Amino acid sequence: MIPYADFNLLRFPDRDQARAKLLDLTMLSDIFPTGFHGVVTSGAGVGSTVCVAGAGPVGLAAAASRICSGPRSSSSAI
């Protein structure tokens, strides 16, 4: 039994269509939420200065997510 499977799964009738969307779905279901969670748990808010260490997919998602929390400035380090 998989909890929430009745409304949390996406059914693609066409296999090729599913494969074409696989990377987009990975971004929305794994990478972006991880970056966003990092920003939220950091406590960054309006007027904060933040530094995102890393320019991989999760670091870039965190840098994009920090806009939602409204910090004064930010930087990314590779």
Side-chain angles (χ1 to χ4, degrees):
M1 186 80 174
I2 301 172
Y4 310 115
D6 56 338
F7 64 88
N8 214 17
L9 296 177
L10 297 174
R11 180 177 172 88
F12 285 93
D14 180 30
R15 182 182 175 103
D16 293 331
Q17 180 188 17
R19 293 227 179 252
K21 295 293 181 186
L22 189 60
L23 293 178
D24 293 338
L25 294 173
T26 301
M27 173 65 177
L28 291 174
S29 65
D30 180 42
I31 296 167
F32 183 77
T34 302
F36 183 79
H37 179 71
V39 172
V40 170
T41 58
S42 74
V46 176
S48 298
T49 300
V50 298
C51 176
V52 178
V58 175
L60 293 174
S65 297
R66 60 97 179 125
I67 295 169
C68 298
S69 65
R72 181 181 67 224
S73 62
S74 67
S75 64
S76 293
I78 299 176

